[in-house]
Amino acid sequence: MIRVIDVHQSFGSQQVLRGINLRVQKGEILAIIGRSGSGKTVLLRHIIGLVRPNRGQILIEETDITQLSGRRLDRVRERFGMLFQGGALFDSMTVFDNVAFPLREKTDLPPSEIAAQVQKMLENVGLGEMGYKFPAELSGGMKKRTALARALVTNPSIILFDEPTTGLDPILVHAIHQLIQETHDTFGYTAVIVSHEIPEVFDIATRVAVIHEGRIIAEGTPEMILKSPDPFIQQFISGSLEGPVRPL
Amino acid sequence: MLGLVENLGRTVISWIAGMGRMLILLVTALLWAFVPPFRLRRLTRQIHFMGWRSMLVVVLTGAFTGMVLGLQGYYTLSKFGATALLGPAVALSLIREIGPVLCALVVTGRAGSAMAAEIGIMRITDQIDVLSVMALNPVKYLISPNILAGVITLPLLSAIVDVVGIYGGYLVGVQLLGVGQGVYFGEMQGVLGIRDISIGFWKSVSFGLIISWVCCYKGFYTQFGAEGVSRATTEAVVMSSVWILICDYFLTSVL
């Protein structure tokens, strides 16, 4: 469904992506793991066309989005949802209006139908009674759930998650992962999750890709990654200070 | 020496690139403003924000500016025995010059800074990227309504400053200093022409464009977190104010 082919990106003198190759299958949950600054978020932004690579192709069902702009790119993006690291909720709108926003802007549905769909989606993420609150009044977990509801409400076929559980306590991490799993099972979307939550993210991922120094160094099922003989992967998974990577 | 030339060259190139980016933003925003769907709700919201919520400060500015003009005008004109011309002096100063400029500076400080900060915060918290991800053009959604709101609102606010200022001058000149009421307004009617009003109008339209354009640009290209927003807001206010004063001189020469 998504193919990333030999993608290079640099910002000034800093080379962030050095030839990324990745394939995402339809309906799977692919987790991308790697150290901070390894290029995970930048890769996600390339997949949705927010950043254009210096070199390489990104195919969304055979359409190379690196060659698209304007309305043609928008048409591809309409199939995506994205949950940003900080939630990126519109802070001048209530929870209800945030979730209703894409429906109001992108569909011709009558207000009563929009209200019904939004309320149902808020209930799906456990925020049925919170619609009147503003983002500033929500906890971190509630913000993530609101952002998830907003990403899901247009029923996209692909959802990108940029560190959906960062900054949450372990119970909430599990709760959000469970929510992603449940909504994935219900709506059947393809998911790409950038995460630091190891090994928790392995519980929901169909496959895992490890990114290191701007390249994908391993790809496979969670079991394969956990058993990988690569010393960097073992050090990263265990969080050990001993290994090929110096922590600081 | 070579380093100095290099730095100078880099600064000039960066300045030209910035100007180009600004111009592209303006042209794109203006083009998008005329492409359906028209975001009338957002436009109305921005007019309300820039116009109605600036009303108190604009009325105060107009009133006290008119009163000062009345006082100073009376003092100056009395030296020539021409206090009968106080009405036209106050009206011409306000309508042609002071009304549009002061109004623009006040709106820059109140609404322009808020506009730059709001868009800047949206940039650093990914809210602008969210619009792109939703296949909504951020320039059309955020910038076009702001620019239209600036162009629509400033002439209206300037007109209010002019009217309130003329009554401020009336309060001081007629009620306190004893110029005849008929003389104050009668002379004004004789001297003031449609051309004077037209000059004031075009100035305020231009200032409205400058405020919304510069402030939106600075907010839209904000970088580096909270400090970036703070810098963008300051630069937006300073740049808008300077441009308003420079533009005022050229428009006065041309119009």
Side-chain angles (χ1 to χ4, degrees):
Chain A
M1 187 164 210
I2 302 172
R3 278 172 69 203
V4 179
I5 304 166
D6 196 31
V7 164
H8 289 71
Q9 180 62 269
S10 50
F11 300 111
S13 59
Q14 191 190 0
Q15 205 172 350
V16 182
L17 304 180
R18 302 160 188 257
I20 293 270
N21 286 290
L22 187 68
R23 188 187 282 263
V24 185
Q25 308 289 350
K26 189 172 184 180
E28 74 171 342
I29 299 180
L30 174 75
I32 300 174
I33 60 172
R35 296 190 72 204
S36 299
S38 58
K40 304 183 297 294
T41 298
V42 174
L43 173 60
L44 220 54
R45 286 173 172 264
H46 278 78
I47 292 175
I48 201 161
L50 287 174
V51 187
R52 209 176 280 264
N54 298 137
R55 202 169 89 204
Q57 288 179 299
I58 293 159
L59 304 180
I60 310 294
E61 282 181 353
E62 305 310 317
T63 307
D64 184 3
I65 61 162
T66 61
Q67 303 300 317
L68 302 182
S69 61
R71 293 204 165 167
R72 283 171 46 191
L73 179 57
D74 281 347
R75 267 199 290 278
V76 177
R77 278 179 177 158
E78 278 166 0
R79 298 164 52 199
F80 278 86
M82 182 162 177
L83 196 150
F84 284 80
Q85 216 171 95
L89 299 173
F90 297 119
D91 39 26
S92 58
M93 295 182 196
T94 62
V95 165
F96 184 94
D97 289 335
N98 262 285
V99 180
F101 184 80
L103 292 178
R104 287 179 182 148
E105 293 294 333
K106 300 302 291 183
T107 70
D108 296 322
L109 291 172
S112 58
E113 177 61 28
I114 290 176
Q117 285 195 21
V118 171
Q119 191 55 37
K120 192 174 164 204
M121 193 51 74
L122 287 175
E123 278 160 17
N124 276 341
V125 298
L127 293 173
E129 307 293 315
M130 297 291 168
Y132 66 93
K133 292 208 172 193
F134 281 90
E137 300 172 292
L138 301 178
S139 67
M142 287 173 173
K143 283 182 189 167
K144 301 273 187 186
R145 281 186 279 160
T146 307
L148 180 60
R150 187 176 64 182
L152 283 170
V153 78
T154 50
N155 199 14
S157 51
I158 306 162
I159 302 190
L160 309 179
F161 297 87
D162 189 5
E163 299 190 21
T165 51
T166 299
L168 302 181
D169 67 57
I171 298 170
L172 272 176
V173 169
H174 275 110
I176 294 287
H177 281 165
Q178 196 179 1
L179 196 56
I180 292 173
Q181 182 75 67
E182 283 170 9
T183 53
H184 174 264
D185 294 345
T186 309
F187 298 100
Y189 55 79
T190 304
V192 181
I193 305 177
V194 160
S195 181
H196 281 131
E197 302 295 348
I198 296 165
E200 288 83 357
V201 73
F202 290 179
D203 296 340
I204 58 166
T206 322
R207 282 192 316 124
V208 178
V210 185
I211 188 169
H212 182 52
E213 291 176 348
R215 290 189 188 92
I216 301 289
I217 58 163
E219 232 183 302
T221 61
E223 293 73 27
M224 286 164 69
I225 298 298
L226 281 168
K227 288 177 187 160
S228 167
D230 188 304
F232 165 75
I233 294 175
Q234 285 309 319
Q235 184 190 2
F236 182 69
I237 290 172
S238 63
S240 168
L241 295 177
E242 305 298 323
V245 174
R246 294 177 64 85
L248 296 172
Chain B
M1 185 64 188
L2 195 65
L4 191 72
V5 174
E6 260 182 38
N7 277 340
L8 185 68
R10 199 172 293 129
T11 308
V12 171
I13 289 169
S14 142
W15 187 80
I16 292 170
M19 287 292 120
R21 215 165 39 217
M22 256 186 106
L23 198 63
I24 289 169
L25 184 74
L26 176 67
V27 172
T28 320
L30 289 176
L31 289 175
W32 275 115
F34 299 102
V35 176
F38 301 109
R39 307 208 173 273
L40 289 178
R41 186 183 290 181
R42 192 163 170 83
L43 176 63
T44 323
R45 207 196 91 173
Q46 289 312 107
I47 290 174
H48 175 264
F49 171 71
M50 279 186 92
W52 179 248
R53 292 176 70 180
S54 303
M55 194 67 89
L56 180 65
V57 68
V58 158
V59 166
L60 282 173
T61 306
F64 283 96
T65 305
M67 286 161 75
V68 167
L69 281 175
L71 209 55
Q72 290 287 11
Y74 183 85
Y75 173 74
T76 310
L77 292 169
S78 64
K79 287 189 178 295
F80 306 101
T83 52
L85 292 175
L86 183 65
V90 169
L92 281 176
S93 312
L94 277 167
I95 291 169
R96 288 178 63 108
E97 191 63 47
I98 298 172
V101 172
L102 274 186
C103 181
L105 293 177
V106 165
V107 172
T108 301
R110 205 211 67 81
S113 56
M115 201 187 286
E118 186 188 3
I119 297 174
I121 287 170
M122 288 186 79
R123 167 64 73 199
I124 63 164
T125 55
D126 292 327
Q127 292 176 51
I128 292 180
D129 285 339
V130 167
L131 293 172
S132 300
V133 168
M134 288 178 186
L136 291 166
N137 187 307
V139 173
K140 176 168 174 59
Y141 187 80
L142 286 176
I143 313 296
S144 301
N146 276 329
I147 287 184
L148 288 184
V151 170
I152 293 169
T153 309
L154 254 287
L156 297 171
L157 287 178
S158 289
I160 291 167
V161 169
D162 295 344
V163 171
V164 173
I166 287 169
Y167 276 98
Y170 166 83
L171 189 71
V172 170
V174 177
Q175 300 295 333
L176 296 181
L177 300 171
V179 175
Q181 181 176 326
V183 174
Y184 185 83
F185 286 111
E187 291 291 335
M188 203 185 292
Q189 267 182 335
V191 172
L192 206 65
I194 193 73
R195 187 176 151 70
D196 301 310
I197 294 168
S198 156
I199 289 171
F201 172 79
W202 286 115
K203 278 187 177 178
S204 54
V205 167
S206 312
F207 299 159
L209 182 71
I210 288 173
I211 295 168
S212 46
W213 177 26
V214 171
C215 296
C216 284
Y217 168 77
K218 287 291 176 187
F220 201 71
Y221 288 101
T222 296
Q223 286 178 320
F224 311 126
E227 195 190 331
V229 176
S230 146
R231 191 184 308 145
T233 310
T234 309
E235 283 176 7
V237 172
V238 172
M239 195 170 171
S240 300
S241 305
V242 171
W243 277 31
I244 284 165
L245 295 172
I246 294 173
C247 180
D248 182 45
Y249 170 77
F250 284 106
L251 285 175
T252 307
S253 327
V254 172
L255 292 171

PDB file of all heavy atoms in Angstrom, chain A residues 131-158:
ATOM      1  N   GLY A 131     -17.101  16.498  25.308  1.00  0.00           N
ATOM      2  CA  GLY A 131     -17.179  17.275  24.074  1.00  0.00           C
ATOM      3  C   GLY A 131     -17.118  18.785  24.257  1.00  0.00           C
ATOM      4  O   GLY A 131     -16.614  19.498  23.405  1.00  0.00           O
ATOM      5  N   TYR A 132     -17.600  19.270  25.403  1.00  0.00           N
ATOM      6  CA  TYR A 132     -17.689  20.720  25.623  1.00  0.00           C
ATOM      7  C   TYR A 132     -16.373  21.329  26.114  1.00  0.00           C
ATOM      8  O   TYR A 132     -16.216  22.544  26.176  1.00  0.00           O
ATOM      9  CB  TYR A 132     -18.796  21.029  26.643  1.00  0.00           C
ATOM     10  CG  TYR A 132     -18.485  20.502  28.022  1.00  0.00           C
ATOM     11  CD1 TYR A 132     -17.861  21.302  28.977  1.00  0.00           C
ATOM     12  CD2 TYR A 132     -18.781  19.182  28.368  1.00  0.00           C
ATOM     13  CE1 TYR A 132     -17.556  20.814  30.230  1.00  0.00           C
ATOM     14  CE2 TYR A 132     -18.466  18.686  29.608  1.00  0.00           C
ATOM     15  CZ  TYR A 132     -17.860  19.502  30.542  1.00  0.00           C
ATOM     16  OH  TYR A 132     -17.534  19.005  31.770  1.00  0.00           O
ATOM     17  N   LYS A 133     -15.404  20.467  26.459  1.00  0.00           N
ATOM     18  CA  LYS A 133     -14.147  20.995  27.035  1.00  0.00           C
ATOM     19  C   LYS A 133     -13.191  21.484  25.962  1.00  0.00           C
ATOM     20  O   LYS A 133     -13.237  21.033  24.819  1.00  0.00           O
ATOM     21  CB  LYS A 133     -13.456  19.893  27.846  1.00  0.00           C
ATOM     22  CG  LYS A 133     -14.222  19.525  29.101  1.00  0.00           C
ATOM     23  CD  LYS A 133     -13.295  19.011  30.164  1.00  0.00           C
ATOM     24  CE  LYS A 133     -14.055  18.829  31.464  1.00  0.00           C
ATOM     25  NZ  LYS A 133     -13.212  18.628  32.605  1.00  0.00           N
ATOM     26  N   PHE A 134     -12.309  22.388  26.375  1.00  0.00           N
ATOM     27  CA  PHE A 134     -11.263  22.877  25.464  1.00  0.00           C
ATOM     28  C   PHE A 134      -9.979  22.058  25.701  1.00  0.00           C
ATOM     29  O   PHE A 134      -9.782  21.533  26.807  1.00  0.00           O
ATOM     30  CB  PHE A 134     -10.992  24.361  25.722  1.00  0.00           C
ATOM     31  CG  PHE A 134     -12.029  25.254  25.089  1.00  0.00           C
ATOM     32  CD1 PHE A 134     -13.172  25.616  25.800  1.00  0.00           C
ATOM     33  CD2 PHE A 134     -11.887  25.704  23.784  1.00  0.00           C
ATOM     34  CE1 PHE A 134     -14.149  26.407  25.219  1.00  0.00           C
ATOM     35  CE2 PHE A 134     -12.859  26.498  23.195  1.00  0.00           C
ATOM     36  CZ  PHE A 134     -13.998  26.850  23.907  1.00  0.00           C
ATOM     37  N   PRO A 135      -9.103  21.980  24.680  1.00  0.00           N
ATOM     38  CA  PRO A 135      -7.882  21.169  24.838  1.00  0.00           C
ATOM     39  C   PRO A 135      -7.078  21.524  26.094  1.00  0.00           C
ATOM     40  O   PRO A 135      -6.509  20.634  26.731  1.00  0.00           O
ATOM     41  CB  PRO A 135      -7.094  21.484  23.564  1.00  0.00           C
ATOM     42  CG  PRO A 135      -8.147  21.759  22.552  1.00  0.00           C
ATOM     43  CD  PRO A 135      -9.247  22.468  23.303  1.00  0.00           C
ATOM     44  N   ALA A 136      -7.046  22.806  26.457  1.00  0.00           N
ATOM     45  CA  ALA A 136      -6.254  23.214  27.621  1.00  0.00           C
ATOM     46  C   ALA A 136      -6.795  22.608  28.913  1.00  0.00           C
ATOM     47  O   ALA A 136      -6.089  22.543  29.917  1.00  0.00           O
ATOM     48  CB  ALA A 136      -6.247  24.739  27.738  1.00  0.00           C
ATOM     49  N   GLU A 137      -8.051  22.145  28.894  1.00  0.00           N
ATOM     50  CA  GLU A 137      -8.658  21.574  30.104  1.00  0.00           C
ATOM     51  C   GLU A 137      -8.484  20.053  30.174  1.00  0.00           C
ATOM     52  O   GLU A 137      -8.994  19.419  31.079  1.00  0.00           O
ATOM     53  CB  GLU A 137     -10.157  21.894  30.134  1.00  0.00           C
ATOM     54  CG  GLU A 137     -10.458  23.380  30.140  1.00  0.00           C
ATOM     55  CD  GLU A 137     -11.947  23.660  29.981  1.00  0.00           C
ATOM     56  OE1 GLU A 137     -12.486  23.390  28.889  1.00  0.00           O
ATOM     57  OE2 GLU A 137     -12.554  24.146  30.941  1.00  0.00           O
ATOM     58  N   LEU A 138      -7.796  19.476  29.180  1.00  0.00           N
ATOM     59  CA  LEU A 138      -7.686  18.014  29.113  1.00  0.00           C
ATOM     60  C   LEU A 138      -6.342  17.517  29.620  1.00  0.00           C
ATOM     61  O   LEU A 138      -5.337  18.239  29.547  1.00  0.00           O
ATOM     62  CB  LEU A 138      -7.840  17.550  27.659  1.00  0.00           C
ATOM     63  CG  LEU A 138      -9.130  17.903  26.921  1.00  0.00           C
ATOM     64  CD1 LEU A 138      -9.060  17.396  25.484  1.00  0.00           C
ATOM     65  CD2 LEU A 138     -10.345  17.324  27.616  1.00  0.00           C
ATOM     66  N   SER A 139      -6.326  16.277  30.093  1.00  0.00           N
ATOM     67  CA  SER A 139      -5.050  15.645  30.456  1.00  0.00           C
ATOM     68  C   SER A 139      -4.358  15.175  29.165  1.00  0.00           C
ATOM     69  O   SER A 139      -4.982  15.155  28.090  1.00  0.00           O
ATOM     70  CB  SER A 139      -5.318  14.439  31.354  1.00  0.00           C
ATOM     71  OG  SER A 139      -5.988  13.445  30.608  1.00  0.00           O
ATOM     72  N   GLY A 140      -3.093  14.763  29.301  1.00  0.00           N
ATOM     73  CA  GLY A 140      -2.338  14.318  28.124  1.00  0.00           C
ATOM     74  C   GLY A 140      -3.018  13.164  27.398  1.00  0.00           C
ATOM     75  O   GLY A 140      -3.127  13.146  26.179  1.00  0.00           O
ATOM     76  N   GLY A 141      -3.523  12.202  28.189  1.00  0.00           N
ATOM     77  CA  GLY A 141      -4.180  11.030  27.595  1.00  0.00           C
ATOM     78  C   GLY A 141      -5.453  11.423  26.853  1.00  0.00           C
ATOM     79  O   GLY A 141      -5.753  10.888  25.782  1.00  0.00           O
ATOM     80  N   MET A 142      -6.205  12.352  27.443  1.00  0.00           N
ATOM     81  CA  MET A 142      -7.457  12.807  26.799  1.00  0.00           C
ATOM     82  C   MET A 142      -7.155  13.523  25.487  1.00  0.00           C
ATOM     83  O   MET A 142      -7.881  13.366  24.500  1.00  0.00           O
ATOM     84  CB  MET A 142      -8.224  13.752  27.725  1.00  0.00           C
ATOM     85  CG  MET A 142      -8.893  13.074  28.890  1.00  0.00           C
ATOM     86  SD  MET A 142      -9.567  14.330  29.967  1.00  0.00           S
ATOM     87  CE  MET A 142     -10.469  13.323  31.123  1.00  0.00           C
ATOM     88  N   LYS A 143      -6.072  14.313  25.480  1.00  0.00           N
ATOM     89  CA  LYS A 143      -5.691  15.015  24.237  1.00  0.00           C
ATOM     90  C   LYS A 143      -5.385  14.003  23.134  1.00  0.00           C
ATOM     91  O   LYS A 143      -5.796  14.163  21.995  1.00  0.00           O
ATOM     92  CB  LYS A 143      -4.457  15.896  24.480  1.00  0.00           C
ATOM     93  CG  LYS A 143      -4.770  17.185  25.201  1.00  0.00           C
ATOM     94  CD  LYS A 143      -3.518  18.019  25.349  1.00  0.00           C
ATOM     95  CE  LYS A 143      -3.805  19.200  26.254  1.00  0.00           C
ATOM     96  NZ  LYS A 143      -2.621  19.895  26.705  1.00  0.00           N
ATOM     97  N   LYS A 144      -4.619  12.953  23.503  1.00  0.00           N
ATOM     98  CA  LYS A 144      -4.256  11.947  22.500  1.00  0.00           C
ATOM     99  C   LYS A 144      -5.516  11.256  21.978  1.00  0.00           C
ATOM    100  O   LYS A 144      -5.639  10.972  20.796  1.00  0.00           O
ATOM    101  CB  LYS A 144      -3.325  10.893  23.108  1.00  0.00           C
ATOM    102  CG  LYS A 144      -2.037  11.462  23.666  1.00  0.00           C
ATOM    103  CD  LYS A 144      -0.963  11.571  22.619  1.00  0.00           C
ATOM    104  CE  LYS A 144       0.344  11.977  23.274  1.00  0.00           C
ATOM    105  NZ  LYS A 144       1.403  12.247  22.344  1.00  0.00           N
ATOM    106  N   ARG A 145      -6.459  10.981  22.909  1.00  0.00           N
ATOM    107  CA  ARG A 145      -7.678  10.285  22.486  1.00  0.00           C
ATOM    108  C   ARG A 145      -8.529  11.195  21.594  1.00  0.00           C
ATOM    109  O   ARG A 145      -9.136  10.729  20.627  1.00  0.00           O
ATOM    110  CB  ARG A 145      -8.479   9.827  23.714  1.00  0.00           C
ATOM    111  CG  ARG A 145      -7.891   8.549  24.312  1.00  0.00           C
ATOM    112  CD  ARG A 145      -8.741   8.003  25.414  1.00  0.00           C
ATOM    113  NE  ARG A 145      -8.499   8.690  26.681  1.00  0.00           N
ATOM    114  CZ  ARG A 145      -9.347   8.686  27.705  1.00  0.00           C
ATOM    115  NH1 ARG A 145     -10.495   8.066  27.617  1.00  0.00           N
ATOM    116  NH2 ARG A 145      -9.038   9.318  28.817  1.00  0.00           N
ATOM    117  N   THR A 146      -8.553  12.495  21.908  1.00  0.00           N
ATOM    118  CA  THR A 146      -9.297  13.433  21.053  1.00  0.00           C
ATOM    119  C   THR A 146      -8.670  13.465  19.657  1.00  0.00           C
ATOM    120  O   THR A 146      -9.367  13.436  18.646  1.00  0.00           O
ATOM    121  CB  THR A 146      -9.265  14.857  21.660  1.00  0.00           C
ATOM    122  OG1 THR A 146      -9.709  14.791  23.007  1.00  0.00           O
ATOM    123  CG2 THR A 146     -10.153  15.812  20.879  1.00  0.00           C
ATOM    124  N   ALA A 147      -7.323  13.517  19.649  1.00  0.00           N
ATOM    125  CA  ALA A 147      -6.626  13.560  18.351  1.00  0.00           C
ATOM    126  C   ALA A 147      -6.894  12.274  17.569  1.00  0.00           C
ATOM    127  O   ALA A 147      -7.059  12.304  16.351  1.00  0.00           O
ATOM    128  CB  ALA A 147      -5.127  13.749  18.575  1.00  0.00           C
ATOM    129  N   LEU A 148      -6.960  11.153  18.289  1.00  0.00           N
ATOM    130  CA  LEU A 148      -7.254   9.878  17.621  1.00  0.00           C
ATOM    131  C   LEU A 148      -8.673   9.906  17.040  1.00  0.00           C
ATOM    132  O   LEU A 148      -8.894   9.489  15.890  1.00  0.00           O
ATOM    133  CB  LEU A 148      -7.094   8.718  18.616  1.00  0.00           C
ATOM    134  CG  LEU A 148      -7.374   7.319  18.075  1.00  0.00           C
ATOM    135  CD1 LEU A 148      -6.436   6.979  16.919  1.00  0.00           C
ATOM    136  CD2 LEU A 148      -7.223   6.260  19.170  1.00  0.00           C
ATOM    137  N   ALA A 149      -9.613  10.429  17.836  1.00  0.00           N
ATOM    138  CA  ALA A 149     -11.006  10.528  17.347  1.00  0.00           C
ATOM    139  C   ALA A 149     -11.058  11.410  16.094  1.00  0.00           C
ATOM    140  O   ALA A 149     -11.748  11.087  15.129  1.00  0.00           O
ATOM    141  CB  ALA A 149     -11.900  11.111  18.439  1.00  0.00           C
ATOM    142  N   ARG A 150     -10.309  12.510  16.106  1.00  0.00           N
ATOM    143  CA  ARG A 150     -10.312  13.409  14.942  1.00  0.00           C
ATOM    144  C   ARG A 150      -9.687  12.723  13.720  1.00  0.00           C
ATOM    145  O   ARG A 150     -10.143  12.897  12.594  1.00  0.00           O
ATOM    146  CB  ARG A 150      -9.536  14.689  15.280  1.00  0.00           C
ATOM    147  CG  ARG A 150      -9.626  15.739  14.190  1.00  0.00           C
ATOM    148  CD  ARG A 150      -8.936  17.025  14.575  1.00  0.00           C
ATOM    149  NE  ARG A 150      -7.494  16.831  14.752  1.00  0.00           N
ATOM    150  CZ  ARG A 150      -6.660  17.785  15.133  1.00  0.00           C
ATOM    151  NH1 ARG A 150      -7.120  18.989  15.402  1.00  0.00           N
ATOM    152  NH2 ARG A 150      -5.372  17.543  15.276  1.00  0.00           N
ATOM    153  N   ALA A 151      -8.628  11.941  13.976  1.00  0.00           N
ATOM    154  CA  ALA A 151      -7.981  11.242  12.858  1.00  0.00           C
ATOM    155  C   ALA A 151      -8.891  10.156  12.277  1.00  0.00           C
ATOM    156  O   ALA A 151      -8.843   9.862  11.093  1.00  0.00           O
ATOM    157  CB  ALA A 151      -6.660  10.634  13.328  1.00  0.00           C
ATOM    158  N   LEU A 152      -9.738   9.577  13.152  1.00  0.00           N
ATOM    159  CA  LEU A 152     -10.576   8.451  12.711  1.00  0.00           C
ATOM    160  C   LEU A 152     -11.895   8.866  12.080  1.00  0.00           C
ATOM    161  O   LEU A 152     -12.488   8.101  11.328  1.00  0.00           O
ATOM    162  CB  LEU A 152     -10.902   7.562  13.921  1.00  0.00           C
ATOM    163  CG  LEU A 152      -9.817   6.625  14.434  1.00  0.00           C
ATOM    164  CD1 LEU A 152     -10.243   6.020  15.768  1.00  0.00           C
ATOM    165  CD2 LEU A 152      -9.552   5.526  13.428  1.00  0.00           C
ATOM    166  N   VAL A 153     -12.340  10.088  12.392  1.00  0.00           N
ATOM    167  CA  VAL A 153     -13.738  10.436  12.099  1.00  0.00           C
ATOM    168  C   VAL A 153     -14.068  10.444  10.603  1.00  0.00           C
ATOM    169  O   VAL A 153     -15.209  10.210  10.223  1.00  0.00           O
ATOM    170  CB  VAL A 153     -14.104  11.792  12.785  1.00  0.00           C
ATOM    171  CG1 VAL A 153     -13.564  12.980  12.022  1.00  0.00           C
ATOM    172  CG2 VAL A 153     -15.612  11.904  12.970  1.00  0.00           C
ATOM    173  N   THR A 154     -13.052  10.662   9.775  1.00  0.00           N
ATOM    174  CA  THR A 154     -13.330  10.657   8.329  1.00  0.00           C
ATOM    175  C   THR A 154     -13.135   9.257   7.725  1.00  0.00           C
ATOM    176  O   THR A 154     -13.192   9.106   6.512  1.00  0.00           O
ATOM    177  CB  THR A 154     -12.409  11.652   7.588  1.00  0.00           C
ATOM    178  OG1 THR A 154     -11.073  11.399   8.002  1.00  0.00           O
ATOM    179  CG2 THR A 154     -12.781  13.088   7.876  1.00  0.00           C
ATOM    180  N   ASN A 155     -12.900   8.294   8.599  1.00  0.00           N
ATOM    181  CA  ASN A 155     -12.720   6.899   8.184  1.00  0.00           C
ATOM    182  C   ASN A 155     -11.602   6.746   7.143  1.00  0.00           C
ATOM    183  O   ASN A 155     -11.823   6.210   6.054  1.00  0.00           O
ATOM    184  CB  ASN A 155     -14.053   6.362   7.632  1.00  0.00           C
ATOM    185  CG  ASN A 155     -14.071   4.851   7.630  1.00  0.00           C
ATOM    186  OD1 ASN A 155     -13.222   4.222   8.275  1.00  0.00           O
ATOM    187  ND2 ASN A 155     -14.990   4.272   6.884  1.00  0.00           N
ATOM    188  N   PRO A 156     -10.384   7.199   7.473  1.00  0.00           N
ATOM    189  CA  PRO A 156      -9.293   7.113   6.497  1.00  0.00           C
ATOM    190  C   PRO A 156      -8.800   5.671   6.345  1.00  0.00           C
ATOM    191  O   PRO A 156      -8.987   4.858   7.246  1.00  0.00           O
ATOM    192  CB  PRO A 156      -8.195   7.990   7.113  1.00  0.00           C
ATOM    193  CG  PRO A 156      -8.452   7.934   8.565  1.00  0.00           C
ATOM    194  CD  PRO A 156      -9.920   7.757   8.768  1.00  0.00           C
ATOM    195  N   SER A 157      -8.137   5.403   5.225  1.00  0.00           N
ATOM    196  CA  SER A 157      -7.647   4.038   5.036  1.00  0.00           C
ATOM    197  C   SER A 157      -6.233   3.865   5.599  1.00  0.00           C
ATOM    198  O   SER A 157      -5.773   2.756   5.788  1.00  0.00           O
ATOM    199  CB  SER A 157      -7.682   3.660   3.558  1.00  0.00           C
ATOM    200  OG  SER A 157      -7.041   4.641   2.799  1.00  0.00           O
ATOM    201  N   ILE A 158      -5.542   4.997   5.836  1.00  0.00           N
ATOM    202  CA  ILE A 158      -4.189   4.927   6.415  1.00  0.00           C
ATOM    203  C   ILE A 158      -4.114   5.939   7.565  1.00  0.00           C
ATOM    204  O   ILE A 158      -4.509   7.091   7.384  1.00  0.00           O
ATOM    205  CB  ILE A 158      -3.104   5.323   5.380  1.00  0.00           C
ATOM    206  CG1 ILE A 158      -3.236   4.486   4.103  1.00  0.00           C
ATOM    207  CG2 ILE A 158      -1.706   5.188   5.968  1.00  0.00           C
ATOM    208  CD1 ILE A 158      -2.508   5.084   2.909  1.00  0.00           C
TER     209      ILE A 158
END
